[in-house]
Amino acid sequence: DQQVKQNSPSLSVQEGRISILNCDYTNSMFDYFLWYKKYPAEGPTFLISISSIKDKNEDGRFTVFLNKSAKHLSLHIVPSQPGDSAVYFCAATAGGGTSYGKLTFGQGTILTVHP
Amino acid sequence: NAGVTQTPKFQVLKTGQSMTLQCAQDMNHNSMYWYRQDPGMGLRLIYYSASEGTTDKGEVPNGYNVSRLNKREFSLRLESAAPSQTSVYFCATQGEDVSGPGSSYNEQFFGPGTRLTVL
């Protein structure tokens, strides 16, 4: 039962264009969502997050959008740079209490940005 | 500050052998986690420890044991390795969500990983 899904295994974009990575979830108890970026032979690093009380969060070139009714979130990278080439993981959590810290990850999307 | 360190970086085992993966953090975080990453599966939680002296099962705990030795260290043990445990293992830590649920959520910090092959 995959509660967080990233249906696109890979995405290829041109430098300077927008990259849009998508993520769907099924568990309506999820109330916090995160994006992680992972380079080969390294651990994932936190990129950006959003609480379920918001529908948008922006940090520089990165913006995450949340559509709760559709149980869908997306990460926009504008403009894309070759250094953004990495695997991007979407993650979700049900927040505090016994679920605190227990992240559920998607399968990941490999982003390749061509010069 | 080293952040989160993991040893070893690589390991090859034969079926039935045992080994312990080590994780240490200098971030003074209470919570620590062990994940495994497999192709097409993302990261899956094996075990976690919300604080020193406590551990709990995650999504895929079978075949593993853990020890929270102290606040800094959280080890993962494979008692009898199986080929299905071939994977990349990541340790992570997290600070406290002092703001409460629904507000700012402290990110998890990951180690560099251990690549384990079981033949």
Side-chain angles (χ1 to χ4, degrees):
Chain A
D1 177 23
Q2 191 80 27
Q3 297 186 63
V4 178
K5 294 182 182 180
Q6 294 175 254
N7 292 317
S8 297
S10 62
L11 175 67
S12 182
V13 300
Q14 206 69 30
E15 181 178 7
R17 300 289 187 102
I18 184 171
S19 295
I20 300 176
L21 295 94
N22 294 303
C23 179
D24 297 295
Y25 62 96
T26 57
N27 188 342
S28 57
M29 297 300 291
F30 287 147
D31 61 1
Y32 205 90
F33 304 88
L34 307 91
W35 284 94
Y36 280 82
K37 176 179 177 179
K38 184 184 179 305
Y39 292 117
E42 294 183 10
T45 55
F46 172 74
L47 190 57
I48 192 169
S49 62
I50 188 167
S51 165
S52 60
I53 63 175
K54 297 183 177 181
D55 54 20
K56 176 183 175 181
N57 188 27
E58 192 171 354
D59 183 2
R61 296 186 297 114
F62 303 92
T63 303
V64 56
F65 295 92
L66 175 62
N67 182 335
K68 282 191 297 184
S69 60
K71 292 190 174 68
H72 176 83
L73 64 156
S74 61
L75 174 68
H76 292 211
I77 306 174
V78 184
S80 301
Q81 299 173 355
D84 296 329
S85 297
V87 180
Y88 289 79
F89 290 101
C90 169
T93 182
T98 58
S99 297
Y100 176 72
K102 291 175 69 174
L103 295 178
T104 301
F105 283 84
Q107 306 96 309
T109 297
I110 301 170
L111 173 65
T112 304
V113 181
H114 298 284
Chain B
N1 286 350
V4 182
T5 58
Q6 292 183 236
T7 54
K9 284 187 167 46
F10 302 94
Q11 184 72 48
V12 179
L13 293 177
K14 294 181 180 178
T15 297
Q17 288 185 316
S18 62
M19 80 159 296
T20 299
L21 282 66
Q22 307 286 355
C23 175
Q25 53 109 352
D26 61 5
M27 307 180 80
N28 201 35
H29 287 167
N30 279 334
S31 301
M32 298 186 73
Y33 308 84
W34 276 105
Y35 293 89
R36 59 178 289 174
Q37 184 197 0
D38 302 293
M41 300 291 288
L43 283 83
R44 292 181 292 169
L45 182 64
I46 305 171
Y47 268 93
Y48 67 101
S49 171
S51 62
E52 184 180 349
T54 69
T55 62
D56 220 331
K57 295 178 180 179
E59 182 186 353
V60 288
N62 291 346
Y64 305 96
N65 285 303
V66 290
S67 295
R68 184 71 184 269
L69 305 169
N70 47 55
K71 189 170 185 178
R72 289 189 64 247
E73 298 171 292
F74 188 38
S75 62
L76 178 72
R77 182 160 178 83
L78 288 71
E79 289 291 350
S80 179
S84 61
Q85 294 178 304
T86 293
S87 187
V88 182
Y89 291 85
F90 291 101
C91 176
T93 73
Q94 183 173 20
E96 281 66 52
D97 181 15
V98 297
S99 303
S103 57
S104 178
Y105 183 94
N106 294 307
E107 66 192 83
Q108 290 188 13
F109 295 85
F110 285 81
T114 295
R115 184 174 293 275
L116 175 66
T117 302
V118 183
L119 302 174

